[in-house]
Amino acid sequence: MLGLVFGSGFENFVLQNARTQKVTTPFGEAEFDIGIFCNKTIVVLHRHGKDHRYAPHQIPARAQMWALHEAGVTDIIAVGSVGGMSAENAPGHFTVPDQLIDYTSGRESTYWGEAPIATSHVDFTQPFDEGLRGKILDAAQTCKVYVHNRGTYACTQGPRLETAAEVRRMIMDGCDLVGMTAMPEAVLARELGMRYALICFSVNWAAGLVDNRLDFEAIKLNMGRSVSTLERILAECVAA
Ligand code: HPA
């Protein structure tokens, strides 16, 4: 079964006949919806909570990924807003990243030693599932939406935005886009054996690249503009 993991901007996503499930996992509470989207039963999880109660550093990712796995999710398409750090990631552009660098700190990022499953040093050479990446890119092509087919996602700790020097460093590290939520989500999915891919939409230039300061209201406005396009791509992914 497919699971969609949404970040900010998707609070009004409509799932037909949706049932909300609240589950208690060994790692705390998690909530998701099961319902119909494009004639298929899927699971939808809002990683910040439907009431946006979790800031990026507070997201209970271990409970959330555990809950999706227990519900029978095998494939996760996650969506995340990002700041752009390369020409292909100007605000308004979409990217399906193929790599990431984890700059977070202090997040609970493994099940190892704490879960009733055998976890080990998971291979994370390719952090995103190639098959699922291809599915998103094919869907975007069918929808005639240009989506960049590669990029390195920098995951920062947040909740503050980055300094200009941090952005310069991440560009030197080879990063193309910066967000706060793909980790540890992606690696936890890998530990549980779920396929995971991410589609990102750029809502601002990363700190220091153009303006003197970042305006979160402008960022939110940009978010709204991309959501309906993303929903079309996701519908095509589900229907295909
Ligand atoms: N930095 C980190 N996360 C983000 C940004 C950003 O500039 N824009 C949207 N999410």
Side-chain angles (χ1 to χ4, degrees), residues 16-204:
Q16 284 154 355
N17 300 332
R19 271 185 296 121
T20 299
Q21 313 246 297
K22 290 188 174 141
V23 295
T24 304
T25 76
F27 307 96
E29 310 287 310
E31 184 181 313
F32 57 84
D33 292 336
I34 294 195
I36 311 285
F37 181 53
C38 298
N39 296 321
K40 297 229 172 88
T41 300
I42 65 159
V43 167
V44 167
L45 184 138
H46 294 270
R47 60 164 80 85
H48 296 288
K50 280 190 208 162
D51 53 1
H52 222 277
R53 99 186 78 138
Y54 306 120
H57 64 297
Q58 298 169 321
I59 293 169
R62 288 200 302 180
Q64 291 179 343
M65 292 300 109
W66 191 268
L68 293 191
H69 185 242
E70 270 197 340
V73 170
T74 51
D75 296 60
I76 295 176
I77 296 180
V79 181
S81 64
V82 291
M85 299 194 289
S86 60
E88 297 82 5
N89 289 283
H93 287 220
F94 302 96
T95 291
V96 177
D98 63 336
Q99 276 298 326
L100 66 79
I101 296 182
D102 186 2
Y103 297 95
T104 65
S105 58
R107 297 187 183 184
E108 316 241 60
S109 56
T110 181
Y111 293 109
W112 192 339
E114 290 175 66
I117 51 160
T119 316
S120 75
H121 298 284
V122 287
D123 173 55
F124 209 44
T125 313
Q126 303 298 336
F128 302 109
D129 183 83
E130 275 304 306
L132 265 187
R133 283 191 350 98
K135 192 168 176 165
I136 302 170
L137 292 166
D138 288 348
Q141 199 163 34
T142 306
C143 295
K144 299 193 166 30
V145 178
Y146 180 74
V147 175
H148 198 52
N149 65 3
R150 62 155 303 278
T152 298
Y153 176 106
C155 192
T156 56
Q157 173 66 4
R160 66 166 178 83
L161 291 157
E162 297 70 39
T163 67
E166 285 167 341
V167 168
R168 284 199 299 272
R169 180 178 77 150
M170 291 188 289
I171 291 171
M172 284 192 292
D173 284 352
C175 297
D176 301 290
L177 51 167
V178 54
M180 299 178 191
T181 54
M183 285 297 281
E185 197 172 89
V187 74
L188 293 170
R190 178 67 55 89
E191 285 192 352
L192 294 173
M194 294 183 287
R195 288 180 282 272
Y196 180 100
L198 177 66
I199 179 163
C200 295
F201 61 115
S202 173
V203 292
N204 57 280

